[in-house]
DNA sequence: GGTAGACCTGGACGC
DNA sequence: GCGTCCAGGTCTACC
């Protein structure tokens, strides 16, 4: 079964997939040098499916191995549209970026869309896994989480969907720590999963909400394990580009670019991109740094 | 509001 | 092979 989805032009699947490190995190999988992209997800009726995505004229083709109902097709279309930001409009950003040599390639290659997971829950957990650790450990924790708690893809039991809040809520902290090596992050992950599973906390509606960015940031900061860096990262994933996810790498890059290697802090990183206003997070993200 | 110390893992390094 | 040090954000307690 194939579903064709249109994207707001300009669109480049390769630029979305490689927009950040998420493509290296299971259940995402990239093949054929970025021409083929797939993920495994669990849709609302409980069915676990693989979505194989290819660029097509005007958008993407989504291939699903099994027959799907009209209702399922509609849900899959929504999931893929969200994951790839097919409906996002970057024309204002590109108009500015064309005037900046360090961002010109962003406009030429239709960069700007940032790869998202099917659910915001998944992206919050993955973001927590990126904090205070090395990338290799983040990938390992994510893989452990999926292997231990993700539902299997019936056609290929080696592949799993990202764990649902319900499934994670069933476990306990000690099991989570030992099975996934999450360390001190385990209680944060468990707390969020339990609150979402119980209905105490609703997070998926934040995806399309029209809250002002400061209020949305406040909501994200209420989640244990989400601090300033993680909140800014999540705001980018939510399509809000007026915050910079300042981490140690950002400070190092800004130091090299504008301060001759002298130590800098959050304020200097913000100041470096302040002229980009509502697009400063994206300008930072796509900047071609002096190495 | 700002700061210090603890949290936890795994890689790098020295012995 | 073992022990030690360090990097990486966030939380909590304290001022």
């Amino acid at each position: 079964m194939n579903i064709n989805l249109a994207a707001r032009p300009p669109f480049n699947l390769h630029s979305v997939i490689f927009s950040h490190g998420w493509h290296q995190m299971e259940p995402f999988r990239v093949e054929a040098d970025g021409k083929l992209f797939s993920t495994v997800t669990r849709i609302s009726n409980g069915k676990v499916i693989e979505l194989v995505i290819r660029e097509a004229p005007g958008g993407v083709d989504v291939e699903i191995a099994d027959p799907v109902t009209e209702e399922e097709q509609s849900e899959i279309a929504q999931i893929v549209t969200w994951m790839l930001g097919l409906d996002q409009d970057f024309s204002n950003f590109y108009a500015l970026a064309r005037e900046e040599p360090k961002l010109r390639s962003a406009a030429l290659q239709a960069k700007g869309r940032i790869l998202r997971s099917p659910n915001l829950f998944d992206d919050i957990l993955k973001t927590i896994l990126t904090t205070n650790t090395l990338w290799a450990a983040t990938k390992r924790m994510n893989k452990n989480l999926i292997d231990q708690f993700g539902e299997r893809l019936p056609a290929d039991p080696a592949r799993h969907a990202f764990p649902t809040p319900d499934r994670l809520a069933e476990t306990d902290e000690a099991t989570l720590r030992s099975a996934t090596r999450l360390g001190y992050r385990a209680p944060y992950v468990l707390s969020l999963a339990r609150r979402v599973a119980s209905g105490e906390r609703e997070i998926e509606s934040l995806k399309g909400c029209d809250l002002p960015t400061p209020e949305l940031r406040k909501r994200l900061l209420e989640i244990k394990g989400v601090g300033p860096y993680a909140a800014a990262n999540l705001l980018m994933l939510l399509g809000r580009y007026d915050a910079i996810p300042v981490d140690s790498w950002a400070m190092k890059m800004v130091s090299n670019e504008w301060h001759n290697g002298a130590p800098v802090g959050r304020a200097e990183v913000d100041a470096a991109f302040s002229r980009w206003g509502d697009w400063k997070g994206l300008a930072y993200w796509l900047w071609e740094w002096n190495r």
Side-chain angles (χ1 to χ4, degrees):
Chain A
M1 167 96 219
N2 270 44
I3 304 173
N4 183 259
L5 298 172
R8 186 190 290 264
F11 176 77
N12 182 326
L13 180 62
H14 188 277
S15 291
V16 187
I17 294 171
F18 295 100
S19 54
H20 63 143
W22 258 213
H23 67 277
Q24 298 173 25
M25 304 258 273
E26 292 188 34
F28 288 141
R29 188 174 281 184
V30 183
E31 288 168 56
D33 197 24
K35 291 186 173 63
L36 188 66
F37 176 65
S38 70
T39 191
V40 175
T41 191
R42 181 184 190 276
I43 56 177
S44 55
N45 62 10
K47 196 186 273 189
V48 178
I49 55 171
E50 182 187 27
L51 306 175
V52 180
I53 301 168
R54 295 178 182 81
E55 187 154 353
V60 292
D61 263 332
V62 186
E63 182 187 332
I64 306 110
D66 300 317
V68 288
T69 65
E70 262 187 46
E71 202 173 325
E72 290 168 342
Q73 277 186 53
S74 168
E75 185 177 348
I76 290 164
Q78 280 180 35
I79 289 171
V80 175
T81 297
W82 170 256
M83 277 171 47
L84 304 179
L86 297 180
D87 54 356
Q88 285 187 284
D89 180 8
F90 295 96
S91 51
N92 289 340
F93 174 68
Y94 292 150
L96 298 169
R98 284 189 197 98
E99 305 300 316
E100 168 54 63
K102 296 272 191 172
L103 290 174
R104 211 162 280 156
S105 72
L108 290 172
Q109 295 168 34
K111 291 181 181 174
R113 293 176 170 90
I114 296 174
L115 180 64
R116 300 153 162 164
S117 302
N119 305 298
L120 184 56
F121 176 76
D122 309 4
D123 277 339
I124 294 174
L125 258 54
K126 287 179 185 175
T127 300
I128 290 174
L129 302 191
T130 67
T131 60
N132 202 25
T133 192
L134 304 176
W135 180 241
T138 296
K139 289 195 288 185
R140 192 176 309 115
M141 286 186 267
N142 178 68
K143 180 168 170 45
N144 291 340
L145 206 52
I146 286 173
D147 287 350
Q148 298 295 323
F149 299 101
E151 275 191 57
R152 291 178 192 279
L153 176 69
D156 179 2
R159 295 192 74 184
H160 302 74
F162 196 84
T164 62
D166 288 1
R167 176 66 189 91
L168 286 172
E170 289 170 3
T171 191
D172 59 81
E173 190 184 318
T175 306
L176 199 54
R177 276 178 188 263
S178 61
T180 62
R181 315 301 291 166
L182 287 179
Y184 68 90
R185 301 168 196 83
Y188 303 153
V189 167
L190 193 57
S191 160
L192 181 63
R194 286 183 174 162
R195 294 179 72 188
V196 171
S198 69
E200 181 190 341
R201 173 126 209 172
E202 208 292 303
I203 53 171
E204 297 303 322
S205 62
L206 295 179
K207 277 173 165 178
C209 76
D210 53 6
L211 286 174
T213 303
E215 178 60 28
L216 186 53
R217 180 174 183 272
K218 201 173 142 199
R219 298 273 182 97
L220 294 168
L221 289 171
E222 286 168 4
I223 300 168
K224 290 269 186 203
V226 173
Y229 157 78
N233 194 57
L234 288 164
L235 284 172
M236 294 265 287
L237 287 167
L238 287 164
R240 309 294 182 101
Y241 303 109
D242 46 349
I244 300 176
V246 181
D247 57 6
S248 53
W249 188 86
M251 291 190 271
K252 189 175 159 188
M253 290 296 109
V254 168
S255 167
N256 288 339
E257 190 90 1
W258 291 291
H259 298 273
N260 294 319
V264 303
R266 182 176 305 279
E268 286 82 4
V269 176
D270 266 321
F273 290 93
S274 60
R275 71 185 172 101
W276 295 92
D278 287 349
W279 295 106
K280 69 178 176 181
L282 202 53
Y284 155 76
W285 200 255
L286 300 174
W287 198 257
E288 290 175 15
W289 300 99
N290 292 325
R291 301 278 180 175

